[in-house]
């Protein structure tokens, strides 16, 4: 199983151009889903006008299926305010858009669990749109329309501050500078972090290595570890 840092590295190249709030949201979303036993990758972040026009042409003037109704400049992706995600499969390489997959075995579709966590962060989901649903799409518009963004309007400093506070919980993040190796019987198992005398370790990696089963109850927000 990948460590959280290894998982985040798979999305790093695609989230670099995002607005600072979306960048924070992407990292927190990846981390929260990981805690629920779900690995996700961000497949698309900032998109240039040219890239948007190329996508718009697909299924119209180019071969393929129509994937967007937005021309260049008419997508929140073009302003760094949107991102797309997919589920990362256990091999750590391939991704899935299977919305019914239950990889963590908690009897809830992984996709919907990701959406739940995204909405908690204030992100809008393309699956809620009334027309041309985009199930992998997440965005944060800050109340701005595409027309306003085209005119040059952007989120205010106060909006950015308040939203970042909500995403981070208003609390300092765990200091990840002190990385520690977790060995099991002398063999490296995973990587954790040491912060102010407390060692943080991925519970699933440790528990399953010890022969236990891990599940998550989203209602009570409880991680259950059952020894076999």
């Amino acid at each position: 199983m990948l460590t959280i840092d290894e998982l985040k590295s798979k999305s790093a190249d695609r989230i670099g151009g995002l607005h600072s709030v979306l960048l924070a949201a992407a990292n927190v979303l990846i981390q929260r889903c990981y805690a629920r036993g779900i690995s996700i990758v961000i497949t698309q972040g900032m998109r240039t006008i040219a890239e948007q026009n190329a996508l718009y042409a697909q299924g119209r003037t180019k071969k393929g299926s129509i994937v967007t109704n937005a021309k260049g400049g008419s997508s929140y992706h073009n302003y760094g305010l949107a991102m797309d995600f997919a589920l990362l499969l256990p091999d750590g390489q391939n991704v899935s858009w299977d919305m019914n997959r239950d990889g963590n075995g908690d009897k809830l579709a992984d996709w919907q669990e990701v959406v739940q966590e995204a909405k908690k962060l204030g992100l809008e989901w393309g699956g809620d749109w009334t027309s041309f649903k985009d199930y992998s799409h997440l965005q944060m518009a800050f109340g701005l329309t595409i027309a306003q963004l085209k005119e040059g309007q952007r989120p205010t400093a106060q909006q950015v501050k308040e939203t970042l506070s909500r995403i981070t919980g208003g609390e300092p993040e765990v200091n990840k500078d002190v990385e520690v190796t977790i060995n099991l019987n002398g063999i490296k198992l995973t990587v954790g972090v040491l912060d102010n005398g407390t060692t943080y370790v991925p519970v699933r990696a440790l528990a399953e290595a010890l022969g236990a089963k891990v599940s998550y109850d989203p209602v009570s927000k409880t991680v259950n570890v059952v020894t076999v």
Side-chain angles (χ1 to χ4, degrees):
M1 182 176 181
L2 297 177
T3 67
I4 185 61
D5 287 333
E6 290 171 334
L7 181 60
K8 285 184 177 181
S9 70
K10 288 185 172 293
S11 298
D13 292 342
R14 300 180 184 90
I15 64 177
L18 289 174
H19 185 284
S20 60
V21 170
L22 271 293
L23 179 61
N27 281 309
V28 172
L29 180 63
I30 292 171
Q31 189 162 326
R32 288 190 180 183
C33 292
Y34 185 82
R36 296 179 71 153
I38 303 170
S39 296
I40 66 169
V41 291
I42 305 303
T43 59
Q44 181 75 69
M46 176 71 178
R47 192 182 293 152
T48 66
I49 300 298
E51 289 171 337
Q52 188 68 39
N53 282 328
L55 279 180
Y56 182 79
Q58 185 174 318
R60 295 182 173 87
T61 59
K62 293 182 178 180
K63 292 182 179 180
S65 302
I66 292 178
V67 293
T68 181
N69 282 336
K71 295 181 178 180
S74 298
S75 168
Y76 285 98
H77 279 287
N78 304 147
Y79 304 94
L81 298 176
M83 56 188 172
D84 297 333
F85 75 91
L87 304 175
L88 183 67
L89 294 176
D91 63 10
Q93 298 297 325
N94 295 300
V95 297
S96 171
W97 286 268
D98 181 359
M99 294 179 61
N100 295 313
R101 176 179 172 77
D102 180 19
N104 62 356
D106 63 357
K107 298 182 180 181
L108 295 173
D110 293 349
W111 200 274
Q112 290 300 325
E113 291 187 74
V114 176
V115 171
Q116 288 175 9
E117 293 298 338
K119 288 183 176 181
K120 290 177 185 177
L121 296 174
L123 293 162
E124 304 168 42
W125 180 44
D128 288 331
W129 296 344
T130 55
S131 62
F132 203 90
K133 293 179 180 294
D134 190 346
Y135 295 103
S136 64
H137 181 93
L138 301 170
Q139 68 180 39
M140 190 171 294
F142 293 95
L144 295 170
T145 65
I146 290 295
Q148 290 173 319
L149 289 169
K150 285 182 176 180
E151 293 172 354
Q153 295 188 47
R154 295 294 183 269
T156 66
Q158 186 62 29
Q159 283 179 309
V160 170
K161 180 180 178 180
E162 292 176 354
T163 308
L164 279 174
S165 178
R166 182 174 68 244
I167 290 172
T168 61
E171 299 176 358
E173 295 186 0
V174 173
N175 179 12
K176 298 178 182 177
D177 293 333
V178 185
E179 187 176 279
V180 293
T181 298
I182 308 301
N183 290 339
L184 179 62
N185 296 325
I187 300 174
K188 181 178 178 180
L189 173 66
T190 186
V191 175
V193 291
L194 181 64
D195 181 27
N196 196 28
T198 299
T199 302
Y200 294 85
V201 184
V203 64
R204 183 176 295 275
L206 183 57
E208 291 183 348
L210 294 172
K213 292 184 178 180
V214 180
S215 63
Y216 177 75
D217 182 352
V219 177
S220 62
K221 296 183 179 179
T222 303
V223 176
N224 297 300
V225 179
V226 179
T227 57
V228 179

